[in-house]
Amino acid sequence: MTGIQEPEDNFRDKLATIDQQGRRLWVYPTKPVGKLYTARTILSWFLLVFLFGAPFVRIDGNPLLQFDILHRKFFIFGFIFWPQDFFLFVLITIAFVVLVILFTAAFGRLFCGWVCPQTIFMEMVFRKIEYLLEGNGPRQRELDHAPMSAGKFLRKSTKHLIFFSLSFLIGNTFLAYIIGTDALRDIVTSSPTEHMTGFIAMVIFSGVFYFVFAWFREQACTLVCPYGRLQSVLLDANSIVIAYDFRRGEKRGPVMRGQDFSQRGHCIDCDACVKVCPTGIDIRNGTQLECINCTACIDACNRVMSRMKLPPGLIKYSSYNRIAEGKPLRFTPRMWIYTGVLTVLLGLIVFFLVSRSEVETTVLRTTGSLYEELEDGSIRNLYTVSVINKTAETLPLTLEMVQPQGTLTIVGPPLDVPPQGKDETVISVQIPRKQIFSSNSTVIIRVMQGNVEIEEVRTTFVGPDPREHHEEKNDDHQENDND
Ligand code: SF4
Ligand code: SF4
């Protein structure tokens, strides 16, 4: 007999917020109070400033963060990624995923509770407004079950008006992450008819955020978020999670006046940890899919422990093994492997970022054009030249032939590539027939900025089969001989 009450496992068969009939059970969490909640509040201010400010902050004229899917341009901390840098973008995404996996294997869902925008907005913005207008959890429940009155109508309508305004603000910011702040300003300052698509996107985003924060809430974490679902395979007994110290807490039970805790568990079964939980679970049952690691139960239990004059930490950050067997936290082989993969990926990213070209030139034969035979016997091809400039300054560029001998003429506008932009022109390349040794030969073109070589690019030059030329020549010789 250990005296430890084994948790029943049937809680794993159902979600805490859905009843047997599949109906939603609305959660009315009590407002948390404590050191961790204060720390999360302070961190949330910084994160909110970052989330709302990132598309507006500029580094060398580039947004700090922007994911311009429409123009296939991504800005990450001022770095611009074009479709040509797609492999780099993919590497960064994979590295981020590995980082999240490693982080989760080691530290559980720390990200969900402290950094995830869903939690930040829900618990630190929308929930706080609800506490302000409708009172603490139990008061909210009372209000919801009370018949409609002028007071209830006023509170509810004010809340939803504020919720929708905030959702509109979040929706606009989200749009700025995609289309950029200048395009957003255009949409906001013009009539909806002038930017119908943008206006519709704005309404949809605002509606989705309003739906999520006013109604869907914790279900975004428990039913939708893939990361939440993944934690069951990422966590193991050594992962640090929000854990109830069952060795210390059991056998639980209500406390009697003057009771001696040396003969019983420290959990007084007050349910304070359950009442504050925004996902409605009882962490004493063990790690659960719904737990977003918000730490509210730690704060609640620590207050109870303090009142009972017991040490804090009955619920705390810890691993199952540490609690069950008193083993110290350790780096598992799985974590070492993830760390190795992450190190390799980060090394590759740094290498490619440092070595990636500041200017990327593409020379492609102009669509639909064939080669042209000129009167002097030379062959001409037309090309479209596209140059991407990843630097912060305008680049006036010229082009010259390197190989084979021939003439390169810019027939389109001169290349004047704007900073972080793209420019295009058309060139003609003319090569004497005697320099052509194949119907598909390679041409090397040098891109110059003044006297400075920027890069050399290769393209294909098409022409007649040179054997025809030799046959024609032989025929001419024969005719001359016959004459
Ligand atoms: S708050 Fe602490 S003492 Fe109260 S039920 Fe939860 S674990 Fe037990
Ligand atoms: S169990 Fe605790 S940490 Fe997990 S969601 Fe509930 S209150 Fe937050």
Side-chain angles (χ1 to χ4, degrees):
M1 225 8 221
T2 61
I4 294 170
Q5 182 171 314
E6 289 297 331
E8 292 172 5
D9 247 10
N10 64 356
F11 70 92
R12 298 199 189 277
D13 301 336
K14 55 184 178 3
L15 282 174
T17 50
I18 295 175
D19 72 9
Q20 294 291 341
Q21 280 71 44
R23 282 184 305 243
R24 170 93 178 267
L25 296 172
W26 195 265
V27 185
Y28 297 95
T30 307
K31 187 176 181 191
V33 179
K35 283 184 191 157
L36 290 168
Y37 187 65
T38 307
R40 282 173 59 223
T41 302
I42 294 168
L43 178 66
S44 74
W45 295 337
F46 288 103
L47 291 171
L48 286 169
V49 169
F50 179 80
L51 286 169
F52 282 114
F56 293 89
V57 174
R58 308 267 148 182
I59 297 176
D60 287 337
N62 293 331
L64 188 66
L65 282 180
Q66 190 187 323
F67 306 95
D68 189 348
I69 305 160
L70 305 177
H71 299 102
R72 295 181 297 157
K73 273 197 295 188
F74 297 93
F75 298 91
I76 299 176
F77 294 108
F79 285 105
I80 184 169
F81 295 91
W82 294 83
Q84 285 81 350
D85 298 316
F86 189 69
F87 71 99
L88 200 49
F89 187 72
V90 170
L91 264 184
I92 291 175
T93 310
I94 295 173
F96 181 72
V97 171
V98 175
L99 178 68
V100 168
I101 291 172
L102 169 68
F103 200 77
T104 308
F107 300 107
R109 289 174 76 175
L110 201 65
F111 168 85
C112 299
W114 290 81
V115 188
C116 174
Q118 161 72 20
T119 311
I120 298 290
F121 282 123
M122 186 65 243
E123 302 306 324
M124 295 294 160
V125 180
F126 287 84
R127 189 87 71 192
K128 284 187 172 178
I129 291 167
E130 213 159 48
Y131 287 136
L132 202 68
L133 293 171
E134 296 184 355
N136 215 334
R139 292 293 304 275
Q140 290 174 23
R141 188 192 297 272
E142 268 174 39
L143 187 71
D144 274 2
H145 290 93
M148 184 54 78
S149 63
K152 179 173 175 175
F153 179 77
L154 190 67
R155 279 169 197 261
K156 290 283 176 193
S157 50
T158 309
K159 179 179 92 171
H160 285 284
L161 192 68
I162 296 174
F163 275 12
F164 189 78
S165 308
L166 277 171
S167 303
F168 182 72
L169 187 66
I170 298 168
N172 276 257
T173 311
F174 188 70
L175 199 55
Y177 273 100
I178 299 171
I179 62 172
T181 49
D182 294 340
L184 178 71
R185 196 176 305 115
D186 282 350
I187 297 173
V188 172
T189 54
S190 328
S191 147
T193 51
E194 286 178 42
H195 297 280
M196 194 44 89
T197 316
F199 179 72
I200 292 171
M202 195 181 268
V203 171
I204 291 174
F205 288 155
S206 307
V208 168
F209 284 118
Y210 174 69
F211 168 77
V212 168
F213 294 120
W215 189 80
F216 202 57
R217 301 190 158 195
E218 76 286 344
Q219 297 189 92
C221 308
T222 54
L223 301 182
V224 179
C225 177
Y227 178 54
R229 305 244 137 198
L230 266 178
Q231 70 158 329
S232 51
V233 288
L234 297 176
L235 299 183
D236 62 19
N238 287 304
S239 305
I240 299 174
V241 289
I242 305 279
Y244 165 66
D245 187 342
F246 49 85
R247 295 191 75 86
R248 180 185 149 192
E250 303 298 330
K251 189 171 188 169
R252 72 183 78 158
V255 70
M256 308 293 170
R257 188 182 290 270
Q259 190 161 30
D260 176 12
F261 276 97
S262 63
Q263 300 305 315
R264 52 158 290 169
H266 285 183
C267 174
I268 62 166
D269 214 5
C270 63
D271 274 356
C273 52
V274 183
K275 287 175 192 154
V276 288
C277 179
T279 62
I281 59 170
D282 185 344
I283 194 63
R284 292 172 299 170
N285 288 330
T287 305
Q288 291 151 72
L289 169 89
E290 295 100 317
C291 179
I292 55 167
N293 278 220
C294 73
T295 70
C297 52
I298 299 184
D299 277 334
C301 190
N302 280 348
R303 278 165 63 87
V304 174
M305 292 297 105
S306 158
R307 279 205 301 273
M308 293 293 118
K309 304 210 170 7
L310 291 169
L314 182 55
I315 301 177
K316 59 189 171 187
Y317 278 114
S318 192
S319 72
Y320 177 84
N321 276 347
R322 192 177 167 91
I323 288 176
E325 299 161 28
K327 283 184 183 171
L329 295 171
R330 67 186 188 89
F331 224 63
T332 61
R334 191 161 68 130
M335 291 180 199
W336 279 116
I337 293 169
Y338 290 154
T339 309
V341 173
L342 184 65
T343 310
V344 171
L345 283 170
L346 289 177
L348 283 174
I349 289 168
V350 170
F351 171 76
F352 285 123
L353 262 181
V354 170
S355 62
R356 87 177 176 150
S357 159
E358 295 279 82
V359 177
E360 291 222 9
T361 311
T362 322
V363 182
L364 293 173
R365 291 228 343 279
T366 305
T367 325
S369 72
L370 296 170
Y371 66 84
E372 194 183 347
E373 294 194 54
L374 302 178
E375 280 180 6
D376 62 0
S378 58
I379 307 296
R380 182 160 68 187
N381 278 200
L382 283 181
Y383 297 90
T384 302
V385 180
S386 306
V387 186
I388 288 173
N389 174 9
K390 297 174 195 167
T391 69
E393 33 183 84
T394 303
L395 292 181
L397 300 175
T398 52
L399 304 169
E400 55 187 52
M401 282 288 285
V402 178
Q403 199 184 302
Q405 281 181 8
T407 315
L408 185 152
T409 317
I410 295 183
V411 291
L415 277 173
D416 228 359
V417 199
Q420 305 294 350
K422 185 178 173 184
D423 198 11
E424 269 189 7
T425 191
V426 177
I427 60 168
S428 92
V429 170
Q430 199 174 318
I431 299 177
R433 207 163 172 152
K434 62 177 189 298
Q435 295 286 337
I436 299 172
F437 303 105
S438 156
S439 57
N440 254 312
S441 48
T442 301
V443 169
I444 303 176
I445 294 169
R446 188 176 291 139
V447 183
M448 303 285 294
Q449 184 189 7
N451 295 326
V452 181
E453 177 185 328
I454 301 291
E455 64 174 338
E456 282 188 355
V457 274
R458 287 164 184 266
T459 189
T460 309
F461 188 89
V462 291
D465 188 339
R467 282 172 303 185
E468 290 170 19
H469 181 55
H470 289 301
E471 279 163 16
E472 278 170 29
K473 264 174 127 180
N474 289 341
D475 290 347
D476 289 348
H477 284 310
Q478 269 178 12
E479 273 173 30
N480 289 341
D481 291 348
N482 292 342
D483 289 345

